[in-house]
Amino acid sequence: MSAQAGGGWGRLDPGALQTFLRGRVLVSREDTARALQGALSQVEPILQQVRARDARFCSIVQRSGSHIEGLKVSEPNEFDFLVAVNGLPAPSVDTTWSSASSVVGVADPPPDSSFRAVMLGSMGARFIPLGPPATGMPSSAPCALMVPSDQYRWADVIGHSSLLLPEKVTNLLKTHVRDVTVSQAGSVTVRPLQMWTPNVTLMVTYYRKEISVNLVPLIKNPFVGWNIPWPRPGQSWPSPEKISEIQDTGVDLVAKHNLYWRYSFSRIERVLLEKIDEDGGRRRDSLRILKKVREDQWKTKFEKVLMSYHLKTLLFWACEENPSPSDWQDLTKSFARLVDYLVLYLQKGNLPHYFLGSDVNLFKPGHSSRLQELLSDVIKFRISPMSYLT
């Protein structure tokens, strides 16, 4: 795959690119570790108190985001932590489904195929999945979790048709966290929210620096078996061993919507990135440089149009379609390849989800005109890269 339209590459100096990487991209591991430890030292005691109040929330966070993936390119002042919901048993492989395509009384369909409904009920109950199954996904892909007879324990977070509502779970976590932090002399505050948002945000003060911490409820790998249409037929990257490790890790669900839980591939992506350059490649460095260019040149104007996750997805697609280690040995060529992929997907207005494929476009439909503006800016960068990198 190569981009043809929109102008070719201008001069891209290898030495200057390496200097840019060393001087402006790489973040001190010591600074990141110090900030992370500062955040954890204050957040985990709060979650321990939350767990003492409500055993359904885990007190040990699961780290997520660029800092744990080794892809951080800016000051370590923001962290994402996932808080697992305890006590939800896995669904039964014998779950029976109705042929109807929606739940009675729930009018809003899921935004796309990356969202699933989670329903709670006594063993043997019949459930109706919300919306048709995603293309390529088995119709039996579990959307329901069975709970024992003490279902009353979940009454405060379920809604119509026994839906386990991410909005209610998130708000409950936020209430617990706020109550716990009230007595903590201002070292940690819960950011006030005017409307429901899919995370609980804390502001942690550590050595006079403010660190933003996002807490997101997580259901850890609730599925029976592997129900994702990945790997694709014929792909040779990643290795069979890595694919097996990913499938053993499983897919999680996170609270990112008021009615539906969204697939989370955070743990899988960490596995995929681990030792990605053990063959001497420059994949990770290429992504870091592109992330830094985004932050410096495009983030202010196109923050919601082009996000860090989009660029990580570009790398995964580029690796799958260019599986040879020789394709990634040269930093200049590796970086140019990622920018070319960005141009191509912007031209299409469609960036498929790496694991869910064409069923999910990571570019938002309402951003089509902004994507064209961004495309114009990226092409300008490609024509004259050294004016941005020096």
Side-chain angles (χ1 to χ4, degrees):
M1 175 183 279
S2 61
Q4 301 295 329
W9 273 94
R11 178 175 174 270
L12 185 57
D13 181 75
L17 192 63
Q18 187 68 43
T19 299
F20 182 84
L21 172 65
R22 290 197 303 265
R24 295 174 56 185
V25 176
L26 298 180
V27 177
S28 167
R29 292 183 179 180
E30 292 76 14
D31 288 347
T32 300
R34 190 180 301 112
L36 175 61
Q37 183 55 42
L40 288 173
S41 68
Q42 299 193 55
V43 171
E44 287 192 333
I46 291 173
L47 290 178
Q48 289 170 3
Q49 295 182 60
V50 169
R51 177 169 172 75
R53 296 162 58 103
D54 191 332
R56 291 174 294 180
F57 292 108
C58 183
S59 60
I60 304 299
V61 299
Q62 178 179 307
R63 304 173 194 178
S64 177
S66 58
H67 72 281
I68 197 65
E69 296 168 340
L71 296 173
K72 193 72 174 174
V73 298
S74 57
E75 184 181 356
N77 57 7
E78 182 176 1
F79 297 102
D80 295 323
F81 297 145
L82 303 176
V83 180
V85 178
N86 293 319
L88 290 173
S92 167
V93 294
D94 298 324
T95 299
T96 303
W97 298 99
S98 164
S99 59
S101 61
S102 63
V103 171
V104 176
V106 179
D108 297 330
D112 58 48
S113 298
S114 64
F115 290 84
R116 305 293 279 181
V118 174
M119 310 175 76
L120 302 183
S122 59
M123 298 300 293
R126 293 173 62 88
F127 292 106
I128 306 172
L130 288 185
T135 302
M137 294 192 64
S139 59
S140 60
C143 297
L145 302 176
M146 301 296 110
V147 298
S149 57
D150 59 347
Q151 184 181 355
Y152 68 90
R153 292 182 59 237
W154 302 94
D156 54 346
V157 288
I158 61 176
H160 185 82
S161 300
S162 299
L163 285 176
L164 178 65
L165 296 177
E167 177 179 11
K168 286 191 174 184
V169 174
T170 300
N171 286 337
L172 180 61
L173 174 61
K174 180 184 174 184
T175 298
H176 287 320
V177 170
R178 180 189 285 127
D179 290 347
V180 168
T181 57
V182 164
S183 61
Q184 295 205 355
S187 61
V188 179
T189 60
V190 181
R191 180 177 293 171
L193 301 176
Q194 299 303 317
M195 62 181 66
W196 183 81
T197 57
N199 52 271
V200 179
T201 302
L202 309 179
M203 296 303 297
V204 175
T205 302
Y206 184 72
Y207 282 103
R208 298 182 180 179
K209 290 187 176 181
E210 283 196 336
I211 301 173
S212 176
V213 176
N214 295 315
L215 303 178
V216 181
L218 162 83
I219 301 176
K220 189 174 182 179
N221 190 22
F223 301 104
V224 174
W226 181 258
N227 298 293
I228 302 300
W230 184 94
R232 284 164 280 277
Q235 75 177 71
S236 57
W237 184 91
S239 67
E241 294 76 17
K242 183 71 73 174
I243 290 173
S244 178
E245 184 179 358
I246 286 171
Q247 292 177 331
D248 289 342
T249 300
V251 181
D252 304 324
L253 294 173
V254 289
K256 291 289 184 178
H257 190 270
N258 59 338
L259 292 175
Y260 301 94
W261 296 77
R262 193 182 74 185
Y263 287 124
S264 170
F265 299 89
S266 176
R267 291 189 300 130
I268 285 177
E269 288 161 357
R270 285 179 59 185
V271 172
L272 196 53
L273 287 163
E274 186 179 12
K275 298 181 180 179
I276 193 172
D277 287 318
E278 65 179 354
D279 57 6
R282 307 303 297 271
R283 302 169 186 83
R284 191 186 295 271
D285 285 342
S286 299
L287 178 56
R288 287 168 171 156
I289 293 172
L290 187 54
K291 281 165 61 76
K292 182 61 174 174
V293 171
R294 170 194 171 264
E295 288 201 357
D296 291 348
Q297 305 297 330
W298 305 319
K299 182 176 180 179
T300 301
K301 185 178 179 182
F302 300 104
E303 182 172 11
K304 299 299 183 181
V305 179
L306 182 68
M307 297 181 289
S308 179
Y309 191 76
H310 293 145
L311 302 184
K312 183 167 63 173
T313 301
L314 285 177
L315 176 66
F316 293 155
W317 280 115
C319 288
E320 179 175 320
E321 295 175 10
N322 301 271
S324 173
S326 62
D327 292 327
W328 299 96
Q329 298 298 308
D330 182 85
L331 177 61
T332 305
K333 293 180 180 178
S334 298
F335 173 69
R337 178 179 293 112
L338 288 191
V339 177
D340 286 345
Y341 269 76
L342 177 57
V343 169
L344 270 171
Y345 286 120
L346 287 173
Q347 288 172 338
K348 296 177 180 179
N350 190 327
L351 175 58
H353 193 288
Y354 180 65
F355 290 100
L356 299 177
S358 59
D359 282 338
V360 178
N361 179 9
L362 293 179
F363 291 149
K364 296 185 183 302
H367 288 164
S368 56
S369 62
R370 303 300 312 286
L371 290 172
Q372 291 306 304
E373 292 179 46
L374 174 60
L375 172 62
S376 177
D377 282 11
V378 177
I379 288 175
K380 290 177 182 177
F381 169 81
R382 191 169 64 169
I383 291 173
S384 182
M386 299 316 300
S387 63
Y388 294 82
L389 298 171
T390 56

